[in-house]
Amino acid sequence: MKFSFGELCDATGGKPVGTPPGTPMRVVTDTRQLEPGDAFLALRGDKYDGADFAGDAYAKGAALAIVARPDALGSNGHAGLIVDDTLRAYMQLGAASRAHSRAIVIAITGSTGKTTTKTLLAQLLAQSGKKIAATPQNENNEVGVSKLLVALEGDEDIVVVEMGCRHDGEIAELVQIAQPHLGILTNIGEAHLEIFKTRDRLAETKWGLFSGGAVAILNVADEESVRRAPSLSLSPGWFGAGEAAAGDVPLPATLIPTRNEIVFADGAGREVFPLQTALPGEHNLSNLAAAATAARATEMTPSAIVAAIPSLVLPPGRYERVALDGGKQLVYDAYNASMSGTLATLRAFAVEPATRRIAVLGGMAELGDDAPQMHQRVGGAAAELRMDVVLVGGEHADDMIRGAVQAGLSPLAIVPYDDNAAAIAGVRANLREGDAVLLKGSRMYKMEEILTGVKARR
């Protein structure tokens, strides 16, 4: 939305400097995106201070700069707003913009699958004819949530907000800004255990999704969600896929027990529809079921949901299939990696049609004290799922090797690599006609470099 100067002052409690602009303003945080008449809000990061660019903002026609450093306004009489903390001010403006919106707000968090669920849901809802706003890419922290809300135009029907967390209580803080009507919790897993130290602290932070009264949409396969569900003041909706969706489940629920059918169930009965989807893996069927549950809650009909599903695609970096020469193929799934996510990806890759399957495992980050055991389990899964060749790298490569060997994989089928250049060479040395290659690892390992190197051989 565009803010008047008075609205900016009221929302942030900032101290005005100079002559107030007389027209409403967009708020931007990047001078490269600034247009004449905008307000520039100077965020500060670990390696930069946006206040250093206030002069550039004025030179490009900014009507106002919102800063925590008065000296950044210069001595030319520019209009400014001085606040104690520019990030806090950005969040306050996000909350103010949200208060002006009449949209249904759906928030999504979880240890894995939140970006995929958000993407699938936004695609579903877009086919309902309603105006949708959704978190771009994975901008799910305080800055990203504020950015999405501040940019609302006021005529959106539904807003889909992805929420990540890296410290205690962060989800509840984001909920205070976004005030969601619905909250999807994909799962409570092991991601970020290095930060949260215990699963209870992680779970409590994730459960903050419902601290503002949002109706919960929960995973029937997530034990922690099932355990905590009775504490909710409003009855939740449920979703599930695979074996967990085939048994007795709480209602109402959207279930995908097999790749061929989707079930919408409530107290009045069950509607079963044939399902057509190219989404790989049971974990993505769970994400699809979550998105369908939320879409149903916005009054999108089951038949409309089912009709839209065949067109849905995954976000970039999630199980991207790349055709290589000689009938070879590559699956790039290295946007990020947790243990549960890596195991799910390995299971999906294990059924890819191929002469042989080569898994390149770069390791997982932020798992805390359990990291060795979790990497060992991943190595064991690679063996149990009959990977023909396994390339392992990263800090816990030895743990993955140990797990793979203990699970029966021949040491001759394991190729350790020290860096991505070595991984590229290892893939090239082992790749044959008809093979499939999986790249899976955390972002810190920059496995896109391996993708680029292998693709260069096309």
Side-chain angles (χ1 to χ4, degrees), residues 340-372:
S340 56
T342 300
L343 294 175
T345 299
L346 281 169
R347 287 192 290 268
F349 183 67
V351 298
E352 287 287 339
T355 304
R356 299 185 313 151
R357 298 178 186 87
I358 301 171
V360 184
L361 304 176
M364 305 168 290
E366 297 181 349
L367 297 180
D369 294 340
D370 292 335

Side-chain angles (χ1 to χ4, degrees), residues 55-134:
D56 293 339
Y58 287 127
K60 291 186 175 183
L64 179 77
I66 304 172
V67 299
R69 282 174 36 205
D71 65 285
L73 300 178
S75 57
N76 294 323
H78 293 302
L81 190 63
I82 301 172
V83 298
D84 292 333
D85 183 320
T86 51
L87 175 56
R88 175 56 56 185
Y90 202 28
M91 296 168 69
Q92 291 166 331
L93 293 174
S97 179
R98 164 67 183 92
H100 281 82
S101 173
R102 297 182 179 180
I104 296 172
V105 178
I106 305 172
I108 302 172
T109 195
S111 294
T112 60
K114 51 186 174 291
T115 301
T116 296
T117 300
K118 179 256 317 199
T119 301
L120 298 178
L121 176 57
Q123 291 176 54
L124 275 179
L125 295 174
Q127 298 195 39
S128 69
K130 297 180 179 179
K131 183 174 180 180
I132 311 300

Side-chain angles (χ1 to χ4, degrees), residues 429-444:
N430 284 278
L431 194 58
R432 305 173 187 169
E433 184 174 347
D435 285 354
V437 180
L438 169 68
L439 304 183
K440 182 65 180 177
S442 286
R443 274 178 289 178
M444 66 178 291

Side-chain angles (χ1 to χ4, degrees), residues 214-234:
V215 175
I217 296 176
L218 303 174
N219 188 344
V220 297
D222 186 65
E223 294 180 2
E224 188 65 23
S225 292
V226 173
R227 185 179 74 82
R228 288 174 175 259
S231 69
L232 296 169
S233 58
L234 298 173

Side-chain angles (χ1 to χ4, degrees), residues 106 108 116-125 182 184 217-218 237-240 252-256 261-265 271 273 275 279 284-309 312:
I106 305 172
I108 302 172
T116 296
T117 300
K118 179 256 317 199
T119 301
L120 298 178
L121 176 57
Q123 291 176 54
L124 275 179
L125 295 174
L182 300 173
I184 303 174
I217 296 176
L218 303 174
W238 296 87
F239 65 90
T254 303
L255 307 167
I256 304 180
E261 66 178 5
I262 182 170
V263 180
F264 299 87
E271 291 186 87
F273 294 83
L275 178 66
L279 299 177
N284 281 318
L285 294 183
S286 179
N287 296 331
L288 173 59
T293 304
R296 185 74 186 94
T298 69
E299 300 185 352
M300 191 173 180
T301 66
S303 58
I305 293 170
V306 172
I309 286 175
L312 303 184

Side-chain angles (χ1 to χ4, degrees), residues 371-381 383 390 392 395-409 411 414 416:
Q373 298 94 314
M374 291 183 183
H375 282 86
Q376 185 170 329
R377 184 173 171 186
V378 165
V390 178
V392 291
E395 180 182 358
H396 293 280
D398 289 345
D399 298 310
M400 286 191 283
I401 293 172
R402 185 180 306 108
V405 171
Q406 289 179 353
L409 187 64
I414 302 172

